[in-house]
Amino acid sequence: MKVINWKPYNKGKLRGFFDVLTAEGFTLKGFKIMEGINGEFVSRPSQQDKDGEWFDTVYCTKEISAELLKMVKAEQGKAPEPKPDQPTNNEESIPF
């Protein structure tokens, strides 16, 4: 299992979005990190029904949620890698 597509988004209680890539190759989209009264937690993908109620579409154990949160924290600490067509900040990338 691997956290992919981490996108920080600090607005209200929302801290960011991410997807999960399983070892079998499935991508689960729509996970969120939320700030609660007991700290941050993983909010699983959900859908709204015709009556306006929200239901989770992916279920997992508390242990898996804790592991996902730990993986996101590790992802947050990484600096974004430059894209191949972007120059780095060293002198060799200066075109003259």
Side-chain angles (χ1 to χ4, degrees), residues 34-78:
M34 304 293 292
E35 183 70 36
I37 57 173
N38 296 321
E40 292 181 332
F41 65 94
V42 174
S43 175
R44 295 174 301 278
S46 57
Q47 249 183 294
Q48 192 173 26
D49 70 3
K50 63 181 177 183
D51 298 324
E53 287 191 59
W54 289 89
F55 294 94
D56 288 341
T57 56
V58 174
Y59 297 93
C60 61
T61 63
K62 288 181 181 179
E63 293 80 15
I64 295 292
S65 287
E67 184 179 342
L68 287 171
L69 184 58
K70 189 186 305 183
M71 292 166 69
V72 168
K73 292 288 188 183
E75 195 69 25
Q76 286 175 333
K78 292 180 184 176

